[in-house]
Amino acid sequence: MAEQPTTAAASSAPAADRPVDCGLRPALCVARDVGGLLRDSGLRPTRQRIALGRLLYAKGDRHVTAEILHEEAMRARVPVSLATVYNTLHQFTEVGLLRELAVDGSKTWFDTNVSDHHHFLVEDDNRLMDIPGSSVSVDRMPEIPEGMEIARVDVVVRLRRKSA
């Protein structure tokens, strides 16, 4: 990440008065950096988790697979194994920082947008796009087994280009 130029006023201001450039989407950067986000979620802010968190959240809401994030980490010269990326994604999911999407049996996606919403899957591009939660209505649900409750409903609408 490129360093921000400092001015005399900025460098003499107390640290608390300076904005934090944490590499996260602006809504998360306002109050804390990635390390703070991890600590607040109950995860120890290791060097690898912080680096992967910056890669995940720096581009705003997005959908990634472990392979995509691992490739980004390699390009950014973050030395992590694919197994570490998988473990980190699952740890972030367990504490609510990511949402796991099993779109088809062969690939699991992770979504940085954990709000209530659904997805378009563009089959031609193997790409996910968000659908606002209010845009989809599920009118009837099956009978829920005793002792169970619905955690959430995920709707994936599969798209493909029209044939000519």
Side-chain angles (χ1 to χ4, degrees):
M1 193 178 308
E3 298 237 357
Q4 297 293 327
T6 57
T7 63
S11 60
S12 63
D17 295 339
R18 280 183 265 157
V20 176
D21 180 15
C22 64
L24 293 173
R25 57 187 173 208
L28 293 176
C29 277
V30 172
R32 61 185 154 244
D33 60 359
V34 176
L37 182 68
L38 295 172
R39 273 189 296 280
D40 290 351
S41 298
L43 291 175
R44 196 166 53 97
T46 64
R47 211 175 298 153
Q48 291 176 323
R49 285 180 183 149
I50 289 171
L52 292 173
R54 286 182 176 153
L55 289 171
L56 274 170
Y57 296 107
K59 298 176 183 176
D61 290 336
R62 60 193 294 234
H63 307 95
V64 298
T65 62
E67 292 77 14
I68 290 170
L69 186 58
H70 183 253
E71 186 177 309
E72 289 179 10
M74 293 299 99
R75 282 197 309 266
R77 299 190 178 175
V78 175
V80 292
S81 67
L82 183 57
T84 297
V85 172
Y86 270 106
N87 290 337
T88 301
L89 289 170
H90 287 289
Q91 291 162 353
F92 281 23
T93 300
E94 287 173 17
V95 298
L97 296 176
L98 292 174
R99 183 173 167 187
E100 186 175 356
L101 302 164
V103 176
D104 59 38
S106 63
K107 188 176 285 193
T108 300
W109 293 86
F110 295 87
D111 191 348
T112 60
N113 178 357
V114 295
S115 70
D116 184 25
H117 67 286
H118 306 287
H119 294 90
F120 285 122
L121 170 65
V122 183
E123 291 180 338
D124 302 325
D125 302 334
N126 201 25
R127 178 173 52 101
L128 287 174
M129 298 183 320
D130 287 347
I131 303 172
S134 61
S135 298
V136 175
S137 174
V138 179
D139 293 334
R140 292 180 25 187
M141 296 297 295
E143 185 72 26
I144 300 167
E146 174 118 8
M148 304 298 271
E149 66 182 1
I150 296 173
R152 75 172 188 246
V153 175
D154 291 323
V155 175
V156 176
V157 179
R158 294 172 179 272
L159 304 174
R160 65 175 166 245
R161 287 182 178 64
K162 291 181 180 180
S163 344

